[in-house]
Each structure stands twice: as structure tokens, then as C-alpha cells.
Amino acid sequence: MIKTIIDKLLGKEPATRSRKPRFGKREEVPASVHGIDPQLVDPRAVDVVRTLKDAGFEAYIVGGAVRDLLLGLRPKDFDVATNATPEQVKNLFRRAFIIGKRFRIVHVVYGRGREHEVIEVSTFRAFLDNSLAEQVSGNERTSKLALAHMKHAVDASGRVLRDNVWGPQDQDATRRDFTVNAMYYDPESEVVVDFHKGIQDAQKRVLRMIGDAATRYREDPVRIIRAVRFVAKLSPLGFKLESKTAKPLVESEHLLKEVPQSRLFDEMLKLLQTGHALASIEQLKKLGLAKGIYPLLDVVVERADHPFVQAVLADTDRRVGEGKPVAPSFMLACVLWQDVKTGWDQRLKKGFHAFSALSEAIDEVFDQRIGDVSGRGKLAADMREIWVMQPRFDKRTGSSPFGMVLQARFRAGFDFLRLRADVGEVDEALAQWWQDFQASDDAHREDLVAQAREEQRQKQKSAQPRKTVRQAESEDAPQDAIGHEGAQALGDAPAKKKRRRRRKPAGSGAAAAAGAAEAE
């Protein structure tokens, strides 16, 4: 009490008004309450947890995997959190790799090739109190030297620049975004550790930000996009954003301008390629974020009602739901096809060669729409192949079809053609022909090529100009009745090419001489 009075006289803040963050109360919820089915847990994630615990560390399955398990869903990815440092984690596994700079984590790899599985392991992070952290202007890219000797730092706006400060589990939970993503599950004891009433929020179907939402968006503006993605994914289950979490979204959107373009590009792909593309676009519109997050995402939202774009978004959602792979190059090729086709047609009208016209149109679209993002080279190459392949599908004779099906990107190019046929941009018969061709043996393929050749011949024949009625009548009339003058008047071929019916083998006089001259 006396100390408080002295502090007031000296102008100091009272100790009871400490700025220390509240880290929540630890609750251990048993299996009889949370009801998680152990059969839904990936055995490789269990192996990682067991290995870390056997080495004397704490370890839990964490984040979205716990949320999905609580909801009775089978998670697609499993993350593990531990108090072991990245170096300590790496030393415990034969195939483990430390990745990241701003946020260092470890990828523990099981299996090889396409069947491999990655368990992501992160170290418990300390909660960064912006009011006490080092204040640094600029961003990580331009401030590397200034930040080199700092354990943690934020910029003047409150955005976290480095997040590799280890801390206890309760602080790690507080620095996570949503309450339903901040729970820890021990697959051995089957206990869920909850600091922020995430289980209750999951039961109420509420997405609630831990702490003050506006402050958390400033710390990491990408949380704005994550909020959209999570509500899009969970809205079919009845989840809604808490009002205090949703309210600062629009006014915080400008903070995304400070985020590296490559990171925004990756977050855009997560919105569109995690099985909830159409729902994500619906939420962007509903929350007032239809424009301004990322230029290319603006294009997707703007064209979402176009039949072709809507078809590819729906197809992407379907493939993800069926566990099939999806490629960003295919989806973006569909979204930007309208621009390519417009530029291509404009150049063809100006007399450009077909290939150069298409190539220039593609280059223009890349410069205007894709921008400078990580991995653009591979992305651009795949998109270009899909686009360049489209006019080649019209060539179904000779050896061209046999060479087409051997190309590495043929399947992507055909799927693109299939979508174009579905929306009526190309003839359905063309897509069906290629569907049959790729599924047939060589003998049947030869028959299909012969069929295409005959169809082409018939089209060329029907495209020839038809003769006028007078021309048809003149050809049907007897030639001797028309006579030489009549034939010239109707504009027929020269007399020497006419076959005249001669009733007599020979003639005399002037008439016979005239007939002989015409025969010659």
C-alpha cells in the first residue's frame, strides 16, 4: 500500500497495472470429455511425439489437427509442438530438416517419393509483448543488420519481424491466433491441454481471436487471410467469426501492403486450393474483403461468377475433397484464359502469325497479372504449355495426335480443354474425341484419326461454293440446243474444253468446219 502511494507521488505506474500479458489458465481435458477418436490420428505424428517424450521433452499434436479431431474430422496435416529446440529435434530423427528464417521449424520426413509424409515440428514460442519489445523501423529484408543481435523484434506498427524466441507452453498458446487452433493433444495419455477455452468455442461453433483482434492483425497481417480461410472451411459446420474478431478485418486490410508478395501469393493459393475455394470467395465478399488483399486474388473474385472460372474452382474443390492433387498452374491458367484469348484474338486481327500472337499475349498476361513472385518461372512454364496446347487440339490427323498424348503436360492441357467444352467454348465432340483417343490402343487410335480425316474432308466439301441455279440449268440443258453463242453468254469455259455431242461423224461446208474447230 505504501509502495503504491510512493509510486503515485513519483509518477510511476502501479505494480498492479503490469503490462504482462494474460496467458490463460491451463485445463487438462480427458478423453471422456473431448471424445477424440485415436483411430483418426496419424501414426507418424504419434511416433514423433513418442520419440520426443522418450528423449525427455514435452511434445503434443497441436493446432488445426486438434481442432479437426475434436470435430470428428480426419486432419490432412499433423503438426507437433515441443519444448525442444530445432537443433535438438533434428538430432533425434534420421530424416529431419530445419527450414525458415523468421519462423524456424523442423520437417520430419517419413517415406519417399509421392507417398512421403511430412510432420512439422515447432518449438514453443514466447509471447512477444509489443510494448516491451525492441522497436525497429522497416522490415526484415531491409533491417537484417539492425536485427542481427536481437532475440526478438517488432516494427513500429507492431508487426512481428522475428519469432524465434523460445518460451513456455502457456505463452506458446497465447501467441497462436484462434482459440480453436491453440489446443494441445497428447496421443499417449489422450489428454487435451486447453488454455483459452478452445473446446467450448468449438462446441459453440465460434472462431474467436486470442487477445485483442486488431493488435493480433497488426502483429501478423496474414491472420486476416487466415480468418477468411478458416471461416470458409468451417462454415458448413456452422462456425461463424466472433463479432470482435470480424470487426477489425476491413480497417486492418491496408497492413497487408507491408507483407512480402511471395507470402501473399502463397496465402492466396491456400484460400483457393484447400478444398473451399468457392466458400472462401463467398466469405471475402461477405466480410467486405473482395478487393485489396492481392491483385491476382481480386481477379479471381471478380471472375468467380464466370462459367469457366466457376467450373475450375468447383473442380478444384472436388479434387481436393477426393484426395487428388491440384496444381496452381492449372487453376490460374483457367482464371487468366480470358485475358490470353482476348490478346491473342487482337493480334490475329492485326495480321500476326498465330504462334507469335499467342506467345506475345501470354507474355503480356504474365507481366500484368502474375508479377514477381517466388516460383514464377516454373509456374509460368506450366501455364504456357497448357495455353499453347489448346489450338493444337484441333489437329487430329497425321502423326500430331500421337505426339500430343506423349507430352508431359498433356493431361493438364486436356483437362483444360474438357472444362472449355463443359461451358460451351469448344465443341463437345472435340473433347470426347480426345477422351477416346488417349484411352485407346494403337489400332483404335488409327481408326479415330481416319474418322477425323473423313470429317475434315466432309467439312471441306460442304464449305465449297455452291453453283447458281442458272449454272446448274445450263449444265443440264442439251449442248446443241444452247449453241456456241449461248455457252459464251452464260460464261462457261472456253469452247475447246467443251465436250459436244456430235450426231454425225462428219460434216461438210461451213457448219462442219465450225464444228471441227470447236472440237479442237
Side-chain angles (χ1 to χ4, degrees):
M1 182 70 176
I2 297 175
K3 187 178 185 302
T4 302
I5 296 173
I6 294 174
D7 287 341
K8 285 184 177 182
L9 292 174
L10 296 177
K12 294 182 178 180
E13 290 287 337
T16 55
R17 296 176 63 183
S18 171
R19 294 178 179 177
K20 182 180 178 180
R22 297 172 60 187
F23 300 127
K25 180 182 178 181
R26 179 187 178 98
E27 295 183 19
E28 295 188 358
V29 183
S32 59
V33 176
H34 61 66
I36 289 178
D37 182 1
Q39 299 298 319
L40 296 177
V41 182
D42 191 321
R44 288 160 290 200
V46 176
D47 180 67
V48 171
V49 171
R50 184 180 295 116
T51 301
L52 287 164
K53 292 180 70 175
D54 289 345
F57 299 107
E58 296 179 65
Y60 301 86
I61 293 172
V62 69
V66 182
R67 178 200 64 221
D68 289 349
L69 289 170
L70 282 171
L71 297 173
L73 306 175
R74 185 180 295 277
K76 294 182 179 179
D77 301 302
F78 283 83
D79 297 338
V80 171
T82 177
N83 62 345
T85 65
E87 290 76 14
Q88 290 170 329
V89 174
K90 184 177 185 299
N91 292 335
L92 291 174
F93 299 92
R94 186 170 60 87
R95 297 182 65 207
F97 309 92
I98 298 176
I99 66 168
K101 293 181 180 179
R102 174 183 172 274
F103 192 96
R104 295 172 67 224
I105 57 178
V106 180
H107 279 180
V108 179
V109 183
Y110 290 83
R112 296 184 181 277
R114 292 186 177 181
E115 301 302 320
H116 81 284
E117 177 74 17
V118 173
I119 305 298
E120 190 172 282
V121 183
S122 62
T123 304
F124 293 153
R125 258 68 173 179
F127 184 90
L128 300 184
D129 185 346
N130 297 343
S131 63
L132 300 177
E134 309 289 355
Q135 296 296 313
V136 180
S137 60
N139 56 42
E140 182 97 34
R141 183 177 299 176
T142 59
S143 306
K144 282 186 177 180
L145 294 178
L147 296 173
H149 303 292
M150 293 183 182
K151 291 184 178 180
H152 60 272
V154 297
D155 66 12
S157 69
R159 182 165 64 97
V160 177
L161 299 178
R162 288 192 171 179
D163 198 5
N164 290 316
V165 186
W166 319 135
Q169 186 182 16
D170 60 346
Q171 292 191 27
D172 185 75
T174 301
R175 54 161 292 281
R176 295 179 181 272
D177 45 23
F178 298 96
T179 59
V180 295
N181 292 341
M183 294 176 286
Y184 303 77
Y185 176 65
D186 184 344
E188 293 191 317
S189 66
E190 297 187 24
V191 167
V192 171
V193 178
D194 185 5
F195 291 92
H196 298 283
K197 301 187 182 302
I199 290 181
Q200 290 91 325
D201 285 346
Q203 293 172 342
K204 295 176 182 177
R205 300 298 194 258
V206 173
L207 278 172
R208 178 169 60 88
M209 184 71 72
I210 298 173
D212 178 66
T215 301
R216 304 309 301 278
Y217 294 142
R218 283 197 300 273
E219 289 174 358
D220 186 1
V222 167
R223 286 177 177 144
I224 297 170
I225 306 176
R226 285 168 60 83
V228 176
R229 178 155 56 89
F230 287 138
V231 74
K233 175 181 179 178
L234 299 174
S235 58
L237 299 177
F239 276 80
K240 294 183 179 180
L241 279 176
E242 181 207 29
S243 59
K244 293 181 180 179
T245 300
K247 185 177 179 180
L249 282 172
V250 175
E251 61 189 42
S252 302
E253 187 180 17
H254 71 279
L255 298 171
L256 290 167
K257 295 179 181 178
E258 303 299 323
V259 178
Q261 292 290 295
S262 58
R263 191 176 179 210
L264 288 178
F265 183 80
D266 291 340
E267 290 297 328
M268 177 196 70
L269 294 183
K270 290 179 183 179
L271 271 181
L272 302 176
Q273 293 198 291
T274 53
H276 314 281
L278 293 172
S280 294
I281 291 172
E282 180 183 346
Q283 288 297 328
L284 286 169
K285 294 177 179 179
K286 181 179 179 180
L287 297 170
L289 300 171
K291 287 188 177 181
I293 289 182
Y294 186 67
L296 189 53
L297 181 59
D298 292 348
V299 177
V300 178
V301 176
E302 179 184 339
R303 298 178 179 176
D305 294 331
H306 187 280
F308 190 49
V309 176
Q310 193 169 58
V312 70
L313 294 175
D315 188 63
T316 300
D317 287 348
R318 177 188 61 79
R319 290 182 64 86
V320 173
E322 295 174 356
K324 296 179 180 179
V326 292
S329 56
F330 181 82
M331 180 192 64
L332 294 179
C334 292
V335 171
L336 298 178
W337 173 242
Q338 176 181 327
D339 296 332
V340 172
K341 196 169 184 301
T342 299
W344 187 21
D345 291 341
Q346 289 174 348
R347 286 169 173 80
L348 288 176
K349 290 179 181 178
K350 293 179 181 180
F352 281 63
H353 184 273
F355 179 79
S356 61
L358 180 57
S359 181
E360 286 192 18
I362 292 172
D363 291 339
E364 183 179 56
V365 169
F366 284 151
D367 292 337
Q368 293 180 354
R369 298 298 196 187
I370 299 296
D372 184 16
V373 296
S374 176
R376 170 182 166 174
K378 176 67 167 59
L379 182 77
D382 291 346
M383 293 171 67
R384 183 184 294 273
E385 283 191 62
I386 292 172
W387 286 331
V388 170
M389 202 176 291
Q390 298 310 300
R392 296 181 59 189
F393 281 115
D394 292 328
K395 300 179 180 179
R396 295 181 291 158
T397 58
S399 61
S400 180
F402 296 91
M404 280 276 285
V405 294
L406 296 178
Q407 293 191 19
R409 300 291 297 170
F410 169 79
R411 185 67 200 187
F414 169 75
D415 288 344
F416 192 92
L417 177 73
R418 176 78 264 173
L419 282 179
R420 292 175 65 203
D422 290 344
V423 299
E425 187 177 308
V426 296
D427 192 350
E428 170 66 26
L430 178 64
Q432 187 59 50
W433 189 93
W434 281 101
Q435 176 73 51
D436 296 340
F437 186 85
Q438 62 180 307
S440 302
D441 55 24
D442 288 343
H444 190 201
R445 286 180 176 180
E446 292 287 358
D447 293 340
L448 288 170
V449 170
Q451 172 192 334
R453 189 185 303 115
E454 180 60 26
E455 290 176 2
Q456 184 177 352
R457 185 181 297 113
Q458 293 296 329
K459 287 182 180 179
Q460 291 175 345
K461 184 177 181 181
S462 62
Q464 292 178 354
R466 296 183 177 180
K467 297 178 181 179
T468 64
V469 175
R470 290 189 64 187
Q471 288 175 329
E473 290 177 348
S474 65
E475 290 181 0
D476 293 339
Q479 292 297 322
D480 55 347
I482 297 176
H484 177 72
E485 292 81 359
Q488 294 295 327
L490 291 175
D492 290 339
K496 63 179 181 179
K497 293 184 180 180
K498 291 290 182 180
R499 294 184 178 180
R500 299 287 302 273
R501 182 185 299 174
R502 300 183 65 182
R503 294 181 179 178
K504 296 180 180 181
S508 59
E518 289 181 358
E520 292 176 358

